[in-house]
Amino acid sequence: MNYRVPTPVPQVILDDVRGAQKMLSGVSRVTAMEGSRHLSALTGSPVHLKCENLQRTGSFKLRGAYVRIAGLRPEQRAAGVVAASAGNHAQGVALASSLLGVRSTVFMPVGAPLPKVAATQEYGAEVIMHGQVVDETLAAAQEHADRTGAVFIHPFDHRDIIAGQGTVGLEILEQCPEVRTILVGIGGGGLAAGVAVAVKALRPDVKVIGVQAAGAAAYPPSLKVGHPVSIDNPVTMADGIKVGRPGDVPFKIIGELLDGVRTVSEDALSSALLLCLERAKLVVEPAGCSPVAALLSEPERYGDGPVVAVLSGGNVDPLLLQRILRHGMAAAGRYLSLRLRVSDRPGALAGLLGVLSTVDANVLDVSHVRTDPRLGLTEVEVELHLETKGPEHCAQVARTLHGAGYTVMS
């Protein structure tokens, strides 16, 4: 997608964000700020969660989309708008357009989750399925804009988008004036740039730190060389921040104002999602969990004062959520797989399961193998998949089996 940003790159200042806040009054929600006792205990400092997953459309994207479309001239509004997205931006543009009485067309990749497609349609957009990957979808949206005169609404590379997202930063300072560190996920950079503009203008002492998935981290190499660079084949479960190249407009702001960019693993993302569900009772998508993943990965970094983690969205496909939860439970030591050999006689398996019941290990799956040539004539191999309560419980299960005379092979 050859989207060109005007030269010189437009600036975004505090007055732009304040203007956006007035424009969004009565449109976007002032989302809740929730404390997390678990994360506070882990870091040694108070941790608060800024719940943009509870925003209208399920993410912060409505803020920037509304400000961008509201700023169009009458003749531009008459021509309609077009966007390309697999999820959050699509829904933000669709709702913002409906609220402003503007016709919207949203291109979505063929494999986009059906709940996100349905939600985008229900918010009022015409949805066109095109392309297998986002680059193809973006190219189709730009071609539509060139052919019809519709205004292309970029997800992050425009000053109005950044100003709208920056209202999250103003709300954080109002809700948690004692904040010392703000963690925010980065894809293209619109949210992080907007938050940094607002916060650094009013509270330059507050650290604003971006978080990227390690498999889709375009900002660290870009910041190192001083200009946006692309990474090939970004891979992460966090599709909301799966962006191969920083935006020109947010990159300039982030390079000047951000206090650092951290990267987090897929294990940390899935563990963070599980923690949000279990401890905070919040449904948060993987991209929205990235700040929590940073806290889990390096809690010692954040002990110098109150921390706010921005939960940027909660739109996660149920099928993906199911897979991520399994991954998160495995990463947290909540699953245990092991193999052992027992005597091939009636009741041997029942005896083994009886031992497991004494330590409250829930059996998810049992595989009973008799045909392996490595087995003795009177042996059978049993492979077990267990649900446990964590690493200590896993160790207890192993000790109990050993004490009962079983040899655990793996």
Side-chain angles (χ1 to χ4, degrees), residues 17-171:
V17 182
R18 283 179 165 158
Q21 188 176 46
K22 292 178 181 178
M23 193 179 294
L24 287 167
S25 178
V27 176
S28 65
R29 294 172 180 155
V30 177
T31 52
M33 183 83 77
E34 299 287 346
S36 172
R37 285 181 293 179
H38 178 77
L39 291 171
S40 298
L42 190 67
T43 62
S45 290
V47 174
H48 306 278
L49 307 175
K50 176 61 172 167
C51 300
E52 282 296 289
N53 59 310
L54 303 180
Q55 184 57 261
R56 296 179 71 178
T57 76
S59 87
F60 71 96
K61 288 288 190 176
L62 172 65
R63 297 174 184 261
Y66 187 90
V67 173
R68 173 75 172 104
I69 297 169
L72 297 178
R73 300 186 303 273
E75 64 273 20
Q76 291 176 310
R77 291 195 188 193
V81 300
V82 61
S85 168
N88 291 346
H89 181 59
Q91 294 172 67
V93 168
L95 179 56
S97 299
S98 294
L99 293 173
L100 292 163
V102 176
R103 184 179 70 257
S104 63
T105 303
V106 176
F107 284 77
M108 303 184 78
V110 172
L114 291 179
K116 294 184 179 182
V117 175
T120 303
Q121 291 172 324
E122 289 171 9
Y123 288 130
E126 177 189 359
V127 173
I128 299 175
M129 310 301 292
H130 182 91
Q132 299 295 325
V133 295
V134 174
D135 284 347
E136 295 173 356
T137 309
L138 285 166
Q142 184 65 71
E143 188 277 331
H144 177 91
D146 295 340
R147 176 169 46 83
T148 66
V151 179
F152 180 69
I153 306 299
H154 197 282
F156 50 80
D157 218 0
H158 193 279
R159 66 192 306 269
D160 291 345
I161 295 284
I162 293 170
Q165 322 304 29
T167 59
V168 174
L170 294 180
E171 290 178 16

